[in-house]
Structure formats: C-alpha cells, structure tokens
Amino acid sequence: EDQVTQSPEALRLQEGESSSLNCSYTVSGLRGLFWYRQDPGKGPEFLFTLYSAGEEKEKERLKATLTKKESFLHITAPKPEDSATYLCAVQARGDDKIIFGKGTRLHILP
Amino acid sequence: EAQVTQNPRYLITVTGKKLTVTCSQNMNHEYMSWYRQDPGLGLRQIYYSMNVEVTDKGDVPEGYKVSRKEKRNFPLILESPSPNQTSLYFCASSLGQNQPQHFGDGTRLSIL
C-alpha cells in the first residue's frame, strides 16, 4: 500500500537554528513528490515539486532534496515567519491519486 | 487573480439534510480534487477529476458524490450527511495530474 510518513510531527527551533524535515514514502514508482506550506486557517500553498532521485530545489531559506526513499526539506537560518505546517505529498506511477503525509508543525521562536 | 473559490466557507447543518459545497477555478485547470483534513489524519483525498465528465475515487469516497459537467466547477455533494463527515474540506486544482495544486481556503462543515 502506498504510504507517506513525515517526521517529526512537531519541531520547535530558535530563530537562526537550521534543521531538516523528513518525508519518507513507499510507492510502487514515484511520479512526483510535492512540498506544501499550510498556515492556520488557510489552504496549503505550493513550495516545490521533485520528480527524480538526486533532484534539488531551492527557494529563499528552503531547500528540498529527493532520494529513492525519502525527501528532506532543509530550513537554513529560519525566521519566525517560517512557522507553519509543512506537508509532503506523492503521486505514484500508474495512479492518479495523491497521498499526503500528516505534516510537520514547525514553530520558530524569536 | 488565479484562484480556487469554495462556498460556503462555514456550514452547520443536521444529519440527513443534503448539502452541496461548490468549487470553482479560473485557471483552466484540468485536474481537480476534493480533500478532507482531520486532526491526526492529515489531508485525505475524497474524489478527483482528470477532466470534464471524468471522475474517480480517492481514499475516502464513502458518503460523497461529485460531478464535473464544466471544466471550472467541481461540486462536492453530501446526499445524507452524518456526524463523521464533520471536517475541514479543501478543493484543489492543477494543470495536470502531476502538477502542483492550487488550494481553496477551505470549508468547515459541522454535521450535528
């Protein structure tokens, strides 16, 4: 069964303290992996798409990487405005469904 | 402005009273989808549509219906709502099946 697991469930960091969020997946073949950010009371907002192992994408303080089993979202020198829930989603080959992980709640303390 | 619009944003209703949540997108997207989000369970896909007149079940379709008669609209229908359908619902759309999704702001449904 296709599965997406995110860890940790929650993470508290001091402003400027870099860290990584993990998304491990089990699918028969990866068509695409997506990272989203969700603020309270809002819909998820797209961050990155990764399609093949070895691929990396960057945007401001965020960098997403992909291996054959997992993806990492690296946050460098975070600021309080980076506080949000970060969601990972995958789409498998031969399937049009999209599976989300349960998310990581990130809190950056000033 | 590119957007996905859901209505209503909030609804409190009673068991068994049919309701429809509308979803409309103005980006000419082919792929549309409905999700529910529950604490501890994350976002789960209810139904999706690859194009007009093409719909398919996601992971939690029981108790829901959808239709896609026009490209821009993808309503979610609860024929006989029950309390276990109390949740936060999101509609999303994308250019294609392997493309980033744009999400609406959500509809909070309470079924008493």
Side-chain angles (χ1 to χ4, degrees), chain A residues 58-91:
Chain A
E58 270 187 85
K59 180 179 175 181
E60 296 179 359
R61 296 179 292 282
L62 298 177
K63 179 179 176 180
T65 61
L66 181 65
T67 72
K68 289 185 178 179
K69 293 183 180 179
E70 58 192 349
S71 176
F72 290 94
L73 185 65
H74 306 278
I75 302 177
T76 303
K79 298 182 178 181
E81 53 261 43
D82 294 322
S83 298
T85 296
Y86 290 85
L87 302 171
C88 171
V90 301
Q91 192 166 28

PDB file of all heavy atoms in Angstrom, chain A residues 58-91:
ATOM      1  N   GLU A  58      15.498  24.933  -4.574  1.00  0.00           N
ATOM      2  CA  GLU A  58      15.724  25.920  -3.506  1.00  0.00           C
ATOM      3  C   GLU A  58      14.837  27.133  -3.691  1.00  0.00           C
ATOM      4  O   GLU A  58      14.531  27.536  -4.821  1.00  0.00           O
ATOM      5  CB  GLU A  58      17.180  26.418  -3.546  1.00  0.00           C
ATOM      6  CG  GLU A  58      18.150  25.634  -2.729  1.00  0.00           C
ATOM      7  CD  GLU A  58      19.520  26.246  -2.661  1.00  0.00           C
ATOM      8  OE1 GLU A  58      19.727  27.125  -1.801  1.00  0.00           O
ATOM      9  OE2 GLU A  58      20.372  25.859  -3.471  1.00  0.00           O
ATOM     10  N   LYS A  59      14.443  27.694  -2.541  1.00  0.00           N
ATOM     11  CA  LYS A  59      13.675  28.928  -2.553  1.00  0.00           C
ATOM     12  C   LYS A  59      13.908  29.627  -1.232  1.00  0.00           C
ATOM     13  O   LYS A  59      13.509  29.134  -0.177  1.00  0.00           O
ATOM     14  CB  LYS A  59      12.192  28.610  -2.727  1.00  0.00           C
ATOM     15  CG  LYS A  59      11.268  29.806  -2.754  1.00  0.00           C
ATOM     16  CD  LYS A  59       9.836  29.323  -2.946  1.00  0.00           C
ATOM     17  CE  LYS A  59       8.851  30.462  -2.863  1.00  0.00           C
ATOM     18  NZ  LYS A  59       7.455  30.002  -3.029  1.00  0.00           N
ATOM     19  N   GLU A  60      14.580  30.738  -1.284  1.00  0.00           N
ATOM     20  CA  GLU A  60      14.910  31.525  -0.080  1.00  0.00           C
ATOM     21  C   GLU A  60      15.613  30.622   0.938  1.00  0.00           C
ATOM     22  O   GLU A  60      16.672  30.084   0.672  1.00  0.00           O
ATOM     23  CB  GLU A  60      13.657  32.177   0.485  1.00  0.00           C
ATOM     24  CG  GLU A  60      13.056  33.191  -0.485  1.00  0.00           C
ATOM     25  CD  GLU A  60      11.789  33.850   0.048  1.00  0.00           C
ATOM     26  OE1 GLU A  60      11.350  33.519   1.170  1.00  0.00           O
ATOM     27  OE2 GLU A  60      11.242  34.694  -0.667  1.00  0.00           O
ATOM     28  N   ARG A  61      15.049  30.428   2.114  1.00  0.00           N
ATOM     29  CA  ARG A  61      15.705  29.658   3.179  1.00  0.00           C
ATOM     30  C   ARG A  61      15.393  28.159   3.099  1.00  0.00           C
ATOM     31  O   ARG A  61      15.835  27.400   3.955  1.00  0.00           O
ATOM     32  CB  ARG A  61      15.270  30.207   4.536  1.00  0.00           C
ATOM     33  CG  ARG A  61      15.730  31.647   4.769  1.00  0.00           C
ATOM     34  CD  ARG A  61      15.243  32.164   6.119  1.00  0.00           C
ATOM     35  NE  ARG A  61      13.787  32.336   6.146  1.00  0.00           N
ATOM     36  CZ  ARG A  61      13.161  33.352   5.610  1.00  0.00           C
ATOM     37  NH1 ARG A  61      13.827  34.303   4.981  1.00  0.00           N
ATOM     38  NH2 ARG A  61      11.835  33.439   5.691  1.00  0.00           N
ATOM     39  N   LEU A  62      14.638  27.764   2.101  1.00  0.00           N
ATOM     40  CA  LEU A  62      14.208  26.366   1.982  1.00  0.00           C
ATOM     41  C   LEU A  62      14.924  25.658   0.833  1.00  0.00           C
ATOM     42  O   LEU A  62      15.113  26.228  -0.241  1.00  0.00           O
ATOM     43  CB  LEU A  62      12.700  26.307   1.739  1.00  0.00           C
ATOM     44  CG  LEU A  62      11.802  26.878   2.823  1.00  0.00           C
ATOM     45  CD1 LEU A  62      10.351  26.811   2.393  1.00  0.00           C
ATOM     46  CD2 LEU A  62      11.992  26.136   4.136  1.00  0.00           C
ATOM     47  N   LYS A  63      15.259  24.403   1.094  1.00  0.00           N
ATOM     48  CA  LYS A  63      15.852  23.568   0.049  1.00  0.00           C
ATOM     49  C   LYS A  63      15.271  22.167   0.179  1.00  0.00           C
ATOM     50  O   LYS A  63      15.294  21.588   1.269  1.00  0.00           O
ATOM     51  CB  LYS A  63      17.365  23.502   0.201  1.00  0.00           C
ATOM     52  CG  LYS A  63      18.069  22.632  -0.823  1.00  0.00           C
ATOM     53  CD  LYS A  63      19.562  22.671  -0.569  1.00  0.00           C
ATOM     54  CE  LYS A  63      20.319  21.751  -1.492  1.00  0.00           C
ATOM     55  NZ  LYS A  63      21.783  21.798  -1.235  1.00  0.00           N
ATOM     56  N   ALA A  64      14.753  21.637  -0.914  1.00  0.00           N
ATOM     57  CA  ALA A  64      14.170  20.299  -0.919  1.00  0.00           C
ATOM     58  C   ALA A  64      15.059  19.364  -1.716  1.00  0.00           C
ATOM     59  O   ALA A  64      15.559  19.727  -2.789  1.00  0.00           O
ATOM     60  CB  ALA A  64      12.771  20.333  -1.522  1.00  0.00           C
ATOM     61  N   THR A  65      15.258  18.154  -1.161  1.00  0.00           N
ATOM     62  CA  THR A  65      16.056  17.141  -1.825  1.00  0.00           C
ATOM     63  C   THR A  65      15.264  15.840  -1.890  1.00  0.00           C
ATOM     64  O   THR A  65      14.322  15.627  -1.116  1.00  0.00           O
ATOM     65  CB  THR A  65      17.377  16.911  -1.085  1.00  0.00           C
ATOM     66  OG1 THR A  65      17.094  16.444   0.252  1.00  0.00           O
ATOM     67  CG2 THR A  65      18.196  18.190  -0.999  1.00  0.00           C
ATOM     68  N   LEU A  66      15.680  14.952  -2.809  1.00  0.00           N
ATOM     69  CA  LEU A  66      14.929  13.718  -3.027  1.00  0.00           C
ATOM     70  C   LEU A  66      15.883  12.547  -3.242  1.00  0.00           C
ATOM     71  O   LEU A  66      16.848  12.649  -4.006  1.00  0.00           O
ATOM     72  CB  LEU A  66      14.018  13.860  -4.247  1.00  0.00           C
ATOM     73  CG  LEU A  66      13.142  12.661  -4.604  1.00  0.00           C
ATOM     74  CD1 LEU A  66      12.109  12.388  -3.512  1.00  0.00           C
ATOM     75  CD2 LEU A  66      12.462  12.862  -5.948  1.00  0.00           C
ATOM     76  N   THR A  67      15.593  11.435  -2.517  1.00  0.00           N
ATOM     77  CA  THR A  67      16.265  10.166  -2.785  1.00  0.00           C
ATOM     78  C   THR A  67      15.196   9.168  -3.209  1.00  0.00           C
ATOM     79  O   THR A  67      14.029   9.515  -3.325  1.00  0.00           O
ATOM     80  CB  THR A  67      16.999   9.631  -1.547  1.00  0.00           C
ATOM     81  OG1 THR A  67      16.031   9.156  -0.595  1.00  0.00           O
ATOM     82  CG2 THR A  67      17.863  10.708  -0.909  1.00  0.00           C
ATOM     83  N   LYS A  68      15.583   7.910  -3.373  1.00  0.00           N
ATOM     84  CA  LYS A  68      14.611   6.904  -3.814  1.00  0.00           C
ATOM     85  C   LYS A  68      13.618   6.518  -2.727  1.00  0.00           C
ATOM     86  O   LYS A  68      12.605   5.878  -3.004  1.00  0.00           O
ATOM     87  CB  LYS A  68      15.336   5.669  -4.330  1.00  0.00           C
ATOM     88  CG  LYS A  68      16.036   5.901  -5.653  1.00  0.00           C
ATOM     89  CD  LYS A  68      16.633   4.623  -6.201  1.00  0.00           C
ATOM     90  CE  LYS A  68      17.280   4.891  -7.556  1.00  0.00           C
ATOM     91  NZ  LYS A  68      17.907   3.686  -8.127  1.00  0.00           N
ATOM     92  N   LYS A  69      13.907   6.909  -1.480  1.00  0.00           N
ATOM     93  CA  LYS A  69      13.018   6.518  -0.393  1.00  0.00           C
ATOM     94  C   LYS A  69      12.478   7.692   0.403  1.00  0.00           C
ATOM     95  O   LYS A  69      11.519   7.521   1.171  1.00  0.00           O
ATOM     96  CB  LYS A  69      13.758   5.586   0.573  1.00  0.00           C
ATOM     97  CG  LYS A  69      14.127   4.244   0.004  1.00  0.00           C
ATOM     98  CD  LYS A  69      14.784   3.377   1.068  1.00  0.00           C
ATOM     99  CE  LYS A  69      15.165   2.016   0.501  1.00  0.00           C
ATOM    100  NZ  LYS A  69      15.823   1.165   1.498  1.00  0.00           N
ATOM    101  N   GLU A  70      13.108   8.861   0.278  1.00  0.00           N
ATOM    102  CA  GLU A  70      12.678   9.959   1.128  1.00  0.00           C
ATOM    103  C   GLU A  70      13.049  11.318   0.534  1.00  0.00           C
ATOM    104  O   GLU A  70      13.881  11.405  -0.385  1.00  0.00           O
ATOM    105  CB  GLU A  70      13.287   9.823   2.530  1.00  0.00           C
ATOM    106  CG  GLU A  70      14.794   9.776   2.557  1.00  0.00           C
ATOM    107  CD  GLU A  70      15.330   9.351   3.926  1.00  0.00           C
ATOM    108  OE1 GLU A  70      14.575   9.284   4.905  1.00  0.00           O
ATOM    109  OE2 GLU A  70      16.554   9.094   3.996  1.00  0.00           O
ATOM    110  N   SER A  71      12.432  12.323   1.110  1.00  0.00           N
ATOM    111  CA  SER A  71      12.745  13.698   0.741  1.00  0.00           C
ATOM    112  C   SER A  71      13.001  14.476   2.018  1.00  0.00           C
ATOM    113  O   SER A  71      12.408  14.179   3.077  1.00  0.00           O
ATOM    114  CB  SER A  71      11.581  14.327  -0.023  1.00  0.00           C
ATOM    115  OG  SER A  71      11.833  15.692  -0.300  1.00  0.00           O
ATOM    116  N   PHE A  72      13.883  15.453   1.930  1.00  0.00           N
ATOM    117  CA  PHE A  72      14.154  16.327   3.054  1.00  0.00           C
ATOM    118  C   PHE A  72      13.828  17.764   2.663  1.00  0.00           C
ATOM    119  O   PHE A  72      14.090  18.185   1.531  1.00  0.00           O
ATOM    120  CB  PHE A  72      15.621  16.244   3.468  1.00  0.00           C
ATOM    121  CG  PHE A  72      15.994  14.945   4.111  1.00  0.00           C
ATOM    122  CD1 PHE A  72      16.529  13.907   3.361  1.00  0.00           C
ATOM    123  CD2 PHE A  72      15.804  14.737   5.476  1.00  0.00           C
ATOM    124  CE1 PHE A  72      16.870  12.703   3.943  1.00  0.00           C
ATOM    125  CE2 PHE A  72      16.135  13.534   6.071  1.00  0.00           C
ATOM    126  CZ  PHE A  72      16.674  12.521   5.298  1.00  0.00           C
ATOM    127  N   LEU A  73      13.286  18.479   3.630  1.00  0.00           N
ATOM    128  CA  LEU A  73      13.100  19.918   3.460  1.00  0.00           C
ATOM    129  C   LEU A  73      14.040  20.576   4.470  1.00  0.00           C
ATOM    130  O   LEU A  73      13.819  20.492   5.683  1.00  0.00           O
ATOM    131  CB  LEU A  73      11.652  20.316   3.720  1.00  0.00           C
ATOM    132  CG  LEU A  73      11.311  21.792   3.461  1.00  0.00           C
ATOM    133  CD1 LEU A  73      11.467  22.135   1.985  1.00  0.00           C
ATOM    134  CD2 LEU A  73       9.889  22.103   3.926  1.00  0.00           C
ATOM    135  N   HIS A  74      15.106  21.171   3.953  1.00  0.00           N
ATOM    136  CA  HIS A  74      16.111  21.808   4.803  1.00  0.00           C
ATOM    137  C   HIS A  74      15.737  23.279   4.973  1.00  0.00           C
ATOM    138  O   HIS A  74      15.444  23.963   3.994  1.00  0.00           O
ATOM    139  CB  HIS A  74      17.496  21.695   4.162  1.00  0.00           C
ATOM    140  CG  HIS A  74      17.891  20.296   3.805  1.00  0.00           C
ATOM    141  ND1 HIS A  74      18.420  19.411   4.724  1.00  0.00           N
ATOM    142  CD2 HIS A  74      17.819  19.633   2.619  1.00  0.00           C
ATOM    143  CE1 HIS A  74      18.665  18.257   4.106  1.00  0.00           C
ATOM    144  NE2 HIS A  74      18.302  18.358   2.849  1.00  0.00           N
ATOM    145  N   ILE A  75      15.797  23.713   6.230  1.00  0.00           N
ATOM    146  CA  ILE A  75      15.480  25.119   6.521  1.00  0.00           C
ATOM    147  C   ILE A  75      16.730  25.746   7.118  1.00  0.00           C
ATOM    148  O   ILE A  75      17.189  25.332   8.202  1.00  0.00           O
ATOM    149  CB  ILE A  75      14.299  25.231   7.484  1.00  0.00           C
ATOM    150  CG1 ILE A  75      13.090  24.532   6.882  1.00  0.00           C
ATOM    151  CG2 ILE A  75      13.981  26.689   7.778  1.00  0.00           C
ATOM    152  CD1 ILE A  75      11.876  24.513   7.757  1.00  0.00           C
ATOM    153  N   THR A  76      17.260  26.735   6.435  1.00  0.00           N
ATOM    154  CA  THR A  76      18.511  27.380   6.845  1.00  0.00           C
ATOM    155  C   THR A  76      18.206  28.730   7.488  1.00  0.00           C
ATOM    156  O   THR A  76      17.486  29.545   6.913  1.00  0.00           O
ATOM    157  CB  THR A  76      19.432  27.580   5.636  1.00  0.00           C
ATOM    158  OG1 THR A  76      19.676  26.314   5.025  1.00  0.00           O
ATOM    159  CG2 THR A  76      20.747  28.225   6.061  1.00  0.00           C
ATOM    160  N   ALA A  77      18.746  28.920   8.686  1.00  0.00           N
ATOM    161  CA  ALA A  77      18.578  30.176   9.423  1.00  0.00           C
ATOM    162  C   ALA A  77      17.130  30.645   9.409  1.00  0.00           C
ATOM    163  O   ALA A  77      16.821  31.737   8.912  1.00  0.00           O
ATOM    164  CB  ALA A  77      19.507  31.253   8.871  1.00  0.00           C
ATOM    165  N   PRO A  78      16.213  29.816   9.945  1.00  0.00           N
ATOM    166  CA  PRO A  78      14.792  30.164   9.857  1.00  0.00           C
ATOM    167  C   PRO A  78      14.434  31.417  10.642  1.00  0.00           C
ATOM    168  O   PRO A  78      15.101  31.777  11.630  1.00  0.00           O
ATOM    169  CB  PRO A  78      14.094  28.931  10.444  1.00  0.00           C
ATOM    170  CG  PRO A  78      15.098  28.313  11.326  1.00  0.00           C
ATOM    171  CD  PRO A  78      16.421  28.562  10.689  1.00  0.00           C
ATOM    172  N   LYS A  79      13.331  32.041  10.205  1.00  0.00           N
ATOM    173  CA  LYS A  79      12.781  33.212  10.870  1.00  0.00           C
ATOM    174  C   LYS A  79      11.384  32.861  11.398  1.00  0.00           C
ATOM    175  O   LYS A  79      10.768  31.891  10.930  1.00  0.00           O
ATOM    176  CB  LYS A  79      12.673  34.367   9.880  1.00  0.00           C
ATOM    177  CG  LYS A  79      14.016  34.806   9.307  1.00  0.00           C
ATOM    178  CD  LYS A  79      13.867  35.973   8.364  1.00  0.00           C
ATOM    179  CE  LYS A  79      15.226  36.425   7.855  1.00  0.00           C
ATOM    180  NZ  LYS A  79      15.113  37.601   6.939  1.00  0.00           N
ATOM    181  N   PRO A  80      10.874  33.650  12.339  1.00  0.00           N
ATOM    182  CA  PRO A  80       9.539  33.348  12.890  1.00  0.00           C
ATOM    183  C   PRO A  80       8.462  33.206  11.815  1.00  0.00           C
ATOM    184  O   PRO A  80       7.536  32.400  11.973  1.00  0.00           O
ATOM    185  CB  PRO A  80       9.274  34.547  13.797  1.00  0.00           C
ATOM    186  CG  PRO A  80      10.622  34.957  14.269  1.00  0.00           C
ATOM    187  CD  PRO A  80      11.532  34.747  13.084  1.00  0.00           C
ATOM    188  N   GLU A  81       8.576  33.925  10.723  1.00  0.00           N
ATOM    189  CA  GLU A  81       7.560  33.835   9.670  1.00  0.00           C
ATOM    190  C   GLU A  81       7.597  32.497   8.915  1.00  0.00           C
ATOM    191  O   GLU A  81       6.707  32.214   8.099  1.00  0.00           O
ATOM    192  CB  GLU A  81       7.677  34.988   8.672  1.00  0.00           C
ATOM    193  CG  GLU A  81       9.039  35.172   8.062  1.00  0.00           C
ATOM    194  CD  GLU A  81       9.830  36.267   8.747  1.00  0.00           C
ATOM    195  OE1 GLU A  81       9.804  36.327  10.010  1.00  0.00           O
ATOM    196  OE2 GLU A  81      10.500  37.051   8.025  1.00  0.00           O
ATOM    197  N   ASP A  82       8.596  31.684   9.169  1.00  0.00           N
ATOM    198  CA  ASP A  82       8.642  30.340   8.585  1.00  0.00           C
ATOM    199  C   ASP A  82       7.796  29.349   9.385  1.00  0.00           C
ATOM    200  O   ASP A  82       7.641  28.191   8.982  1.00  0.00           O
ATOM    201  CB  ASP A  82      10.083  29.830   8.528  1.00  0.00           C
ATOM    202  CG  ASP A  82      10.945  30.635   7.573  1.00  0.00           C
ATOM    203  OD1 ASP A  82      10.434  31.036   6.498  1.00  0.00           O
ATOM    204  OD2 ASP A  82      12.124  30.886   7.902  1.00  0.00           O
ATOM    205  N   SER A  83       7.266  29.788  10.509  1.00  0.00           N
ATOM    206  CA  SER A  83       6.399  28.931  11.314  1.00  0.00           C
ATOM    207  C   SER A  83       5.148  28.569  10.521  1.00  0.00           C
ATOM    208  O   SER A  83       4.450  29.454  10.009  1.00  0.00           O
ATOM    209  CB  SER A  83       5.996  29.640  12.616  1.00  0.00           C
ATOM    210  OG  SER A  83       7.124  29.916  13.407  1.00  0.00           O
ATOM    211  N   ALA A  84       4.873  27.274  10.410  1.00  0.00           N
ATOM    212  CA  ALA A  84       3.736  26.781   9.636  1.00  0.00           C
ATOM    213  C   ALA A  84       3.744  25.265   9.738  1.00  0.00           C
ATOM    214  O   ALA A  84       4.646  24.672  10.331  1.00  0.00           O
ATOM    215  CB  ALA A  84       3.839  27.200   8.165  1.00  0.00           C
ATOM    216  N   THR A  85       2.744  24.635   9.136  1.00  0.00           N
ATOM    217  CA  THR A  85       2.770  23.189   8.956  1.00  0.00           C
ATOM    218  C   THR A  85       3.253  22.895   7.540  1.00  0.00           C
ATOM    219  O   THR A  85       2.762  23.483   6.582  1.00  0.00           O
ATOM    220  CB  THR A  85       1.379  22.572   9.178  1.00  0.00           C
ATOM    221  OG1 THR A  85       0.983  22.789  10.538  1.00  0.00           O
ATOM    222  CG2 THR A  85       1.394  21.076   8.903  1.00  0.00           C
ATOM    223  N   TYR A  86       4.229  21.998   7.435  1.00  0.00           N
ATOM    224  CA  TYR A  86       4.785  21.641   6.132  1.00  0.00           C
ATOM    225  C   TYR A  86       4.298  20.250   5.760  1.00  0.00           C
ATOM    226  O   TYR A  86       4.435  19.298   6.539  1.00  0.00           O
ATOM    227  CB  TYR A  86       6.315  21.719   6.181  1.00  0.00           C
ATOM    228  CG  TYR A  86       6.784  23.153   6.283  1.00  0.00           C
ATOM    229  CD1 TYR A  86       6.869  23.778   7.525  1.00  0.00           C
ATOM    230  CD2 TYR A  86       7.096  23.884   5.140  1.00  0.00           C
ATOM    231  CE1 TYR A  86       7.254  25.105   7.627  1.00  0.00           C
ATOM    232  CE2 TYR A  86       7.484  25.204   5.225  1.00  0.00           C
ATOM    233  CZ  TYR A  86       7.559  25.820   6.467  1.00  0.00           C
ATOM    234  OH  TYR A  86       7.927  27.140   6.567  1.00  0.00           O
ATOM    235  N   LEU A  87       3.709  20.166   4.580  1.00  0.00           N
ATOM    236  CA  LEU A  87       3.080  18.935   4.096  1.00  0.00           C
ATOM    237  C   LEU A  87       3.846  18.377   2.907  1.00  0.00           C
ATOM    238  O   LEU A  87       4.291  19.123   2.032  1.00  0.00           O
ATOM    239  CB  LEU A  87       1.642  19.214   3.664  1.00  0.00           C
ATOM    240  CG  LEU A  87       0.703  19.795   4.713  1.00  0.00           C
ATOM    241  CD1 LEU A  87      -0.610  20.227   4.079  1.00  0.00           C
ATOM    242  CD2 LEU A  87       0.428  18.768   5.797  1.00  0.00           C
ATOM    243  N   CYS A  88       3.942  17.059   2.883  1.00  0.00           N
ATOM    244  CA  CYS A  88       4.564  16.353   1.776  1.00  0.00           C
ATOM    245  C   CYS A  88       3.472  15.503   1.110  1.00  0.00           C
ATOM    246  O   CYS A  88       2.610  14.944   1.806  1.00  0.00           O
ATOM    247  CB  CYS A  88       5.672  15.466   2.348  1.00  0.00           C
ATOM    248  SG  CYS A  88       6.409  14.308   1.196  1.00  0.00           S
ATOM    249  N   ALA A  89       3.496  15.422  -0.209  1.00  0.00           N
ATOM    250  CA  ALA A  89       2.519  14.612  -0.940  1.00  0.00           C
ATOM    251  C   ALA A  89       3.226  13.884  -2.074  1.00  0.00           C
ATOM    252  O   ALA A  89       4.195  14.403  -2.643  1.00  0.00           O
ATOM    253  CB  ALA A  89       1.402  15.491  -1.497  1.00  0.00           C
ATOM    254  N   VAL A  90       2.735  12.685  -2.401  1.00  0.00           N
ATOM    255  CA  VAL A  90       3.330  11.937  -3.509  1.00  0.00           C
ATOM    256  C   VAL A  90       2.244  11.457  -4.461  1.00  0.00           C
ATOM    257  O   VAL A  90       1.092  11.268  -4.084  1.00  0.00           O
ATOM    258  CB  VAL A  90       4.156  10.721  -3.027  1.00  0.00           C
ATOM    259  CG1 VAL A  90       5.257  11.154  -2.113  1.00  0.00           C
ATOM    260  CG2 VAL A  90       3.282   9.680  -2.392  1.00  0.00           C
ATOM    261  N   GLN A  91       2.657  11.289  -5.692  1.00  0.00           N
ATOM    262  CA  GLN A  91       1.807  10.659  -6.691  1.00  0.00           C
ATOM    263  C   GLN A  91       2.606   9.523  -7.300  1.00  0.00           C
ATOM    264  O   GLN A  91       3.759   9.702  -7.691  1.00  0.00           O
ATOM    265  CB  GLN A  91       1.384  11.649  -7.766  1.00  0.00           C
ATOM    266  CG  GLN A  91       0.286  11.120  -8.662  1.00  0.00           C
ATOM    267  CD  GLN A  91      -0.367  12.211  -9.492  1.00  0.00           C
ATOM    268  OE1 GLN A  91       0.274  13.211  -9.808  1.00  0.00           O
ATOM    269  NE2 GLN A  91      -1.626  12.020  -9.850  1.00  0.00           N
TER     270      GLN A  91
END
